[in-house]
Amino acid sequence: MSSTETINVTAQPITEIVHDKSMFLQTTAAQGIAGIFVWAALFITCQQIYQHLRWYTNPSEQRWIVRILFIVPIYGCYSWISLLFFNGNSYYVYFFTVRDCYEAFVIYSFLSLCYEYLGGEGNIMSELRGRPVRASCVNGTCCLSGATYTIGFLRFCKQATLQFCLIKPVCAFIIIFLQARGLYHDGDWSPDGGYIYITIVYNFSVSLALYGLFLFLGATREMLKPFDPVLKFFTVKSVIFLSFWQGVALAILEKAEVISPIHDANGIPTTAGTVSAGYQNFLICLEMLAAAIALRYAFPAAVYAHAHRDPHRSVTMQSISSSLKETMNPKDIMTDAFHNFHPQYQQYTQYSSDVTSQLPYEKL
């Protein structure tokens, strides 16, 4: 005697079958952990910025320091917001462009701060002019054997950083344009997309900027010793350069399927680079706390609070607001870019910002 048994099999959604570790990025725990680190970093950095603005006794130096410190709130907040909008039609790309534009501002600000430490181009050239360049592969000067330091050397260092200030915003707008037309996806190395070309241009531009900064620090290493430039340079370079390569490495891992895509309820996977960008945002949120602590030691406000302290100087919210407005005014960058890239540029030596005169030299 035989009997027929009917077995009912209920289809399960693909999202229940696929075990995806990347789902962690969409959990409240991931967003909460990232938020705790970001808010802790904000507390440390905002307190430091307030102290610098409260004791704004050396504006020529402190305006650059405050600009550098703002990288923590900008990086932290935009990364956290991007994480909250994770897998939301690639909205994170728009947050990335705004956040990353500040990178160029920070590199230029750090070089300008070093100029202020040393009294401006005039004082630097009076120390360096005519000195032979030490040829070294480590310092990136192996091809400069027999050369001497000139005003053109300082101009190259400044131009190397300024070009990044110009190229980065242009790349940002191109990314937004391509993203709106579906031609840009993080980690998409296809020649038909814009990611590979933007990455190449960006990598060349930021490398040139950091190379110019590295050359300048190598030439003025002895002069900058009293200002402890190593920690300052390492911190700024780590936040900008290492975070970029961290994002590229994560994109490569996703392309190699080491990082798995996330599938929605219909089984459709995320677009290329979305998961790696999510991890990038999460890691940056954690790293900003370390950056805030490092910047606190690299640019202490106590130096300015105790130096040139005026007992009759009143500190009000209006004075702090006025100092902040002066600090974030980008007019000086535009003026500097005009002088360095103008076709009829004359070599000039600019002293500290406290001195408004400029001494002309021979034409290029």
Side-chain angles (χ1 to χ4, degrees):
M1 181 177 180
S2 61
S3 60
T4 303
E5 296 181 357
T6 303
I7 301 176
N8 294 325
V9 179
T10 303
Q12 296 180 353
I14 296 178
T15 52
E16 294 181 9
I17 298 176
V18 178
H19 177 66
D20 199 340
K21 295 180 181 179
S22 300
M23 289 296 292
F24 169 74
L25 297 174
Q26 295 179 304
T27 63
T28 305
Q31 298 171 355
I33 293 172
I36 291 173
F37 275 77
V38 168
W39 282 103
L42 286 177
F43 175 79
I44 294 172
T45 303
C46 289
Q47 184 185 43
Q48 186 180 5
I49 291 174
Y50 171 78
Q51 291 299 324
H52 273 287
L53 295 176
R54 175 179 172 83
W55 304 112
Y56 203 58
T57 56
N58 193 341
S60 61
E61 293 181 6
Q62 287 177 281
R63 74 163 179 253
W64 304 113
I65 293 176
V66 172
R67 290 176 177 182
I68 293 172
L69 294 178
F70 261 105
I71 194 173
V72 172
I74 291 175
Y75 259 53
C77 289
Y78 276 102
S79 296
W80 189 45
I81 294 174
S82 298
L83 187 63
L84 296 179
F85 284 92
F86 175 73
N87 201 22
N89 295 326
S90 299
Y91 290 140
Y92 69 89
V93 173
Y94 301 103
F95 295 120
F96 270 22
T97 54
V98 177
R99 184 195 71 188
D100 292 349
C101 278
Y102 202 74
E103 293 178 357
F105 198 37
V106 169
I107 293 178
Y108 171 78
S109 296
F110 182 69
L111 179 62
S112 298
L113 175 62
C114 292
Y115 272 56
E116 291 296 337
Y117 280 153
L118 302 178
E121 292 178 354
N123 289 338
I124 296 172
M125 282 314 304
S126 65
E127 294 289 335
L128 292 181
R129 185 183 290 275
R131 287 188 183 181
V133 178
R134 291 176 293 183
S136 172
C137 293
V138 177
N139 295 330
T141 56
C142 54
C143 58
L144 299 178
S145 178
T148 58
Y149 290 113
T150 63
I151 188 67
F153 170 81
L154 289 183
R155 185 191 180 195
F156 170 78
C157 295
K158 187 65 73 69
Q159 284 181 331
T161 55
L162 283 170
Q163 58 83 24
F164 188 47
C165 294
L166 300 176
I167 290 179
K168 183 56 187 176
V170 173
C171 288
F173 284 111
I174 293 176
I175 288 174
I176 293 176
F177 177 81
L178 295 177
Q179 171 69 18
R181 284 157 177 75
L183 298 175
Y184 182 90
H185 301 290
D186 276 322
D188 182 9
W189 301 95
S190 171
D192 296 330
Y195 176 79
I196 184 173
Y197 305 108
I198 294 295
T199 300
I200 292 173
V201 172
Y202 175 89
N203 186 45
F204 175 80
S205 180
V206 71
S207 297
L208 181 61
L210 289 172
Y211 176 65
L213 183 58
F214 189 72
L215 283 180
F216 176 82
L217 293 177
T220 59
R221 180 172 50 190
E222 297 298 325
M223 301 167 62
L224 285 170
K225 267 188 177 180
F227 305 98
D228 191 20
V230 177
L231 178 59
K232 295 178 174 65
F233 177 67
F234 178 78
T235 304
V236 172
K237 181 179 178 180
S238 297
V239 173
I240 295 175
F241 200 62
L242 295 183
S243 63
F244 167 73
W245 279 110
Q246 176 179 269
V248 173
L250 289 170
I252 293 175
L253 290 176
E254 183 173 4
K255 185 66 175 180
E257 298 183 354
V258 176
I259 298 178
S260 304
I262 296 176
H263 297 77
D264 60 17
N266 298 320
I268 301 176
T270 52
T271 57
T274 300
V275 180
S276 62
Y279 277 117
Q280 170 78 329
N281 286 319
F282 180 76
L283 291 175
I284 288 179
C285 289
L286 305 187
E287 292 161 356
M288 282 304 101
L289 179 57
I293 296 173
L295 288 170
R296 190 176 186 88
Y297 286 100
F299 303 98
V303 176
Y304 302 96
H306 300 295
H308 310 294
R309 188 168 180 175
D310 184 1
H312 303 291
R313 179 178 180 268
S314 60
V315 181
T316 63
M317 290 304 299
Q318 183 177 0
S319 65
I320 292 176
S321 175
S322 177
S323 299
L324 180 61
K325 187 182 300 183
E326 176 190 349
T327 297
M328 301 309 292
N329 189 346
K331 183 179 178 180
D332 49 5
I333 296 181
M334 303 305 297
T335 301
D336 207 6
F338 175 81
H339 280 295
N340 281 275
F341 287 106
H342 196 279
Q344 296 180 346
Y345 173 87
Q346 285 186 330
Q347 292 187 348
Y348 68 94
T349 302
Q350 188 177 38
Y351 288 82
S352 180
S353 56
D354 294 333
V355 181
T356 57
S357 63
Q358 295 178 351
L359 302 178
Y361 283 84
E362 70 278 3
K363 291 185 179 180
L364 285 175

